[in-house]
Amino acid sequence: MKRHTGNILRPTPRLLACALASCLFAAASPGALAQSTSATIRGQVTVDSAPASEARVTATNVATGLTRSVASSAGGSYSLAGLPPGTYRVVVEAGGQSSTKVVTLQVGQTATLNVAAGGVAESAATGPVTDVGAVTVTGTILAETKTPEVATYVSAVQIESLPQASRNFLAFADIVPGMIFDRRANGSTQLRSGAQSSNGINVFIDGVGQKNYVLKGGIGGQDQSPGNPFPQLAIGEYKVITSNYKAEYDQISSAAVTAVTKSGTNEFHGDFFWDKTGIPEWRKATPAEERAGGDKSDSGETQYGASFGGPILQDRLFFFVTYEAKEFSFPQTIAPGSLDTGYTITPDLLALTGPSSTSFNEDLWFGKLTWQVNDNNLVEFSAKVRDEDETKDIGGVNTDSYGKTNINESTRLDLRYQWSNADWLNDAHVTYEDEKFNPRAITLAPGFIIQNSQRGTVLNVGGGQDFQDKGQEGWGLQDDLTFTGIEGHTFKMGVKYKSVEINAFEQQPFNPQFSINLPANIDLGNTSLAEFQPYEVRFGAPLPGVGDRNITSTNKQYGIYFQDDWEVNDKLIINLGLRYDYERTPSYEDYETPADLVAALRGWSNIHQPNVDYDIEDYISDGSNRDAFKDAWQPRVGFSYDLFANQRHVIFGGAGRAYDRNLFDYLALEQSKSTFPSYTLQFNTPGNPCTVNNATCFDWDPRFFNNEELYALVAANPNLGSEVNLMNNDLKVPYSDQFSLGMRNTFPVFGTDWNTSATVVHIRSHDGIIFSLGNRYPDGTFYGPGRTFGGAPFGQPIPGFGSLIKADNGVETRMNQLLLWAEKPLRADSPWGVTLAYTYTDSEENRINAANADEHYVFDYPNLDDHPWVGSIGIPKNRFVGTGIYQAPWGLMFSTKVTWTSPVAKDVLDCTALTPDPTMDNCGFGTFRAAYFDDADFFQWDLAVQKEWDTGTDLKLRVRGDVFNVTNARNWTGFNTFKGVDGVINPGYGDHNDEIVSPTRTFKLSFGLAW
């Protein structure tokens, strides 16, 4: 053990390894722990209104026969932990009397069931066992009212019934206050919460985190994909915790989603579905298609799949398998950018414009074996495989040839062993993961950026820029232990270890990019682009002597936590938790800055002036002056107070800190930019003269279309002009501090109970990575003499190299939210259900963090100290989501979903202030701010109707129709955000272009079979 300042003992990897070994030893002995997906029933047993000691409480899963039993304490309390979500028959035997109750437990739930021998005291239940036709609701659903977490459940009924286009189970998370599920114009999807980006999300499947260690998006495979992280047929239900989660949740600074997968039961069950939507005849035209004359691009979305499960050995061994597929064609419109007056687009280029489409295909498999060895031992093995390929980056100014293909692959395995006895539960997982992301340019040829006289892009033609190979592969071990043997306390503790090789390989741009001014009135019918003279080329070239350019790192991750749910009395529960995480990233910690670069930096007089605001030594690594982050201590405290000890009026709250991790894609730039630097060279051409020096400016020659000829131009000085990225030697890990206070209530309205909650949340996030320009003018300033904004010193590179880009911690957000929630669950005696979610958000950030851009560069300012705080970009002040389900007679089910937001904030540059000095930049006093354009609001109303026929056998047939965006609302997303300059307002300021958030009004047809 190592002692640090302040006499605080901090665990080292050796200490954590010892703790891990200790818990593994505990797993082999009578140990126990509740996993984040397992449910717990707890409460009091009474006989004749007196506490019943040594009463026997037995819970039996009605579908699988799994049985757990416990004796009540001397005070009559009991706790049954580690129950897989599902329906249970609870039998209580005490004083010669018995009681039976059938209840349904939800994922990760801690439910209270107070039991009187001979009867059961109801506890905020929602209804008895019933079958409501298309959807089966089994057991009394016990409401979880006494958790300090800001949490809401998404049920199997909602997943199966509500309108949905993507079959991404995470799409239903936005019915939870504070959550946003983005489906962009290109079909890609991301989940985020509050003012933070999607990177802070983590999703736990059967208790195992699905974190993406390399790329954005929070979870594996969601950076740029319209695909699903998991087959929806395999998801039973899930819980969304927007803040103040308990200490068992790791690698997270935003919301947590914990989901449970389906398992086989004692009966054989199967399901098949086929969906079709998005074909031109079934959807309204997009604004871009209308502007182009109304012709719709080829499009269509087909989804199909099946699941099957059942017993191998009754009450002992079960299987469940599922497969889902997506075959999408997204409409795109290729339209040229602005042309100069008197210029016309040439016929050859015009032929490349108009309607187009991009494709996406996905295959998802999931399989699970469940072995209930006996009442004390449970073994599960599950596997998920995901394969998808997609064409992308076509549309707008990008022609078909300029697109790329994305290959996205994922394999995850989980072997789980659970052991339990009266007071202990041990839950251990051995996991394996293999995630791959491989974008490639469609065309392997030079790319041409056709521009107008102002160098605005008209069309991109030829080969695109992308070439990447990124991913993560490794294994992990996690073990969780729960002890309930001390009355009033539920102790949980756990450890986690992972060894994962992460890699980030990229060559940008893969194809050289030639910039060409479009000549006026030139007929390209007899002229190829190769005959024009580019004035500039940007290309990447491998540095000589560099071997494998794949940046890899075998990371070791350690985590440990302890928490106590303390039932002080029948009203007050206090949760006390502490978590610690530690991760080693050798590629960052052991990296040595190349000697020639170190010499150039230390000899660069521009950054050794009194005006320079940073010390270059903070970014030069000798291989021993970097350490892993050691301060990820995460205290988490919460409480709930049941005003009348009946679970109908509960005040709750909490405070806590949660650490995430740094994306390897960012850390790897320090090395990847050094192994495949990019260069920008000029050509002396008519209209674009430059002084030929055979270093940065050359006479044009068509031979430069050959890559090897370009490489030869920089071979004499391969570093000249190459961008340099350097990481701060003391990088920290992003985290958030979370505070909440709220109240849950159960009210009778017209004879039926409604569950409601009102919560106030305050969250501050810190230490997101930001990349800024390290170049300085000769006097050491960033703006230049007499300037206060603009004029960044891009023309002042490192001698013998290119520009310096340095990475530091600095991105922050601040948010206050009001979360209102009301739910009337579906019941047998009232077969309709409603959810109402309203979110008010007041948030700000010092960089575009929450929006889809997730901007992590700043070049207008030397760092974020000068950057203004602005309203969080992409976040509306007001958001409302309402859903409804109605089970009608004759096998009909109706459902609806309404989403409305006030205008989302857009990032605006305001240069209208008059500059006192005409020699200064027009934006000398310009400011970035957030603006709320009226047309940037959002409204979408979806409907679904399903009819199910019972064939009289075990086979049921269903037909369903969904209509998305019933009103065909135009949800504009692209806006002109430049306000103006020198007192003159930009006449197009605030106008939108043709970009919308999909879909237009669209019909989906579905067929299904169940048996």
Side-chain angles (χ1 to χ4, degrees), residues 299-413:
S299 61
E301 300 180 10
T302 301
Q303 302 175 97
Y304 53 90
S307 67
F308 185 57
I312 299 175
L313 296 173
Q314 286 284 323
D315 291 333
R316 285 290 176 259
L317 185 60
F318 312 93
F319 75 93
F320 178 83
V321 293
T322 186
Y323 167 77
E324 292 191 23
K326 288 176 177 279
E327 297 173 0
F328 288 0
S329 179
F330 297 113
Q332 307 291 344
T333 301
I334 301 169
S338 300
L339 292 166
D340 297 304
T341 303
Y343 282 56
T344 59
I345 192 168
T346 59
D348 276 11
L349 292 178
L350 184 62
L352 302 178
T353 65
S356 185
S357 62
T358 54
S359 64
F360 172 80
N361 296 280
E362 180 184 56
D363 296 298
L364 272 171
W365 294 267
F366 174 75
K368 184 177 182 181
L369 286 173
T370 303
W371 180 23
Q372 297 174 179
V373 182
N374 51 42
D375 291 348
N376 299 108
N377 294 274
L378 173 69
V379 180
E380 287 185 333
F381 175 73
S382 62
K384 182 208 75 172
V385 177
R386 172 184 181 181
D387 288 323
E388 55 186 47
D389 61 84
E390 178 185 18
T391 57
K392 260 182 107 70
D393 290 358
I394 295 172
V397 297
N398 291 342
T399 59
D400 287 339
S401 66
Y402 201 76
K404 67 179 180 181
T405 60
N406 280 359
I407 305 297
N408 206 6
E409 299 176 344
S410 172
T411 299
R412 288 185 179 257
L413 309 177

Side-chain angles (χ1 to χ4, degrees), residues 589-613:
E589 296 156 30
D590 302 338
Y591 175 70
E592 296 183 40
T593 309
D596 57 341
L597 176 57
V598 172
L601 291 170
R602 288 176 173 163
W604 187 17
S605 62
N606 293 30
I607 63 171
H608 296 286
Q609 303 296 323
N611 293 322
V612 176
D613 55 350

Side-chain angles (χ1 to χ4, degrees), residues 442-597:
I442 292 175
T443 305
L444 302 182
F448 298 95
I449 303 173
I450 312 300
Q451 300 176 333
N452 57 31
S453 64
Q454 300 300 310
R455 300 194 176 181
T457 302
V458 177
L459 283 177
N460 291 322
V461 184
Q465 306 182 40
D466 213 351
F467 188 95
Q468 301 180 55
D469 184 0
K470 299 177 179 180
Q472 59 196 59
E473 181 180 7
W475 67 279
L477 178 64
Q478 63 187 67
D479 192 78
D480 297 284
L481 183 69
T482 298
F483 175 65
T484 57
I486 300 178
E487 185 167 1
H489 292 270
T490 299
F491 296 106
K492 295 184 182 181
M493 62 212 78
V495 294
K496 177 179 178 180
Y497 169 78
K498 294 189 80 170
S499 175
V500 182
E501 183 179 88
I502 50 182
N503 68 285
F505 176 81
E506 64 176 59
Q507 296 185 166
Q508 307 281 11
F510 181 68
N511 291 310
Q513 303 294 299
F514 292 90
S515 297
I516 299 175
N517 286 137
L518 185 66
N521 302 313
I522 297 295
D523 184 356
L524 290 185
N526 299 312
T527 308
S528 70
L529 285 172
E531 296 181 51
F532 289 120
Q533 295 186 9
Y535 70 85
E536 184 177 88
V537 63
R538 185 169 62 88
F539 65 98
L543 281 182
V546 176
D548 186 5
R549 296 193 302 276
N550 187 23
I551 313 304
T552 63
S553 182
T554 301
N555 281 27
K556 309 293 186 182
Q557 300 174 1
Y558 306 84
I560 187 169
Y561 75 89
F562 178 86
Q563 68 187 38
D564 176 22
D565 284 336
W566 176 23
E567 295 183 71
V568 181
N569 51 47
D570 60 352
K571 294 183 178 181
L572 178 62
I573 295 177
I574 295 177
N575 175 264
L576 302 172
L578 180 64
R579 179 172 194 91
Y580 181 79
D581 289 296
Y582 178 89
E583 179 174 8
R584 289 223 55 205
T585 306
S587 69
Y588 163 74
E589 296 156 30
D590 302 338
Y591 175 70
E592 296 183 40
T593 309
D596 57 341
L597 176 57

Side-chain angles (χ1 to χ4, degrees), residues 66 423 446 643 651 670 708 836 875:
L66 174 69
D423 297 326
L643 291 179
I651 299 172
E670 186 171 44
E708 296 302 323
L836 306 172
I875 302 296

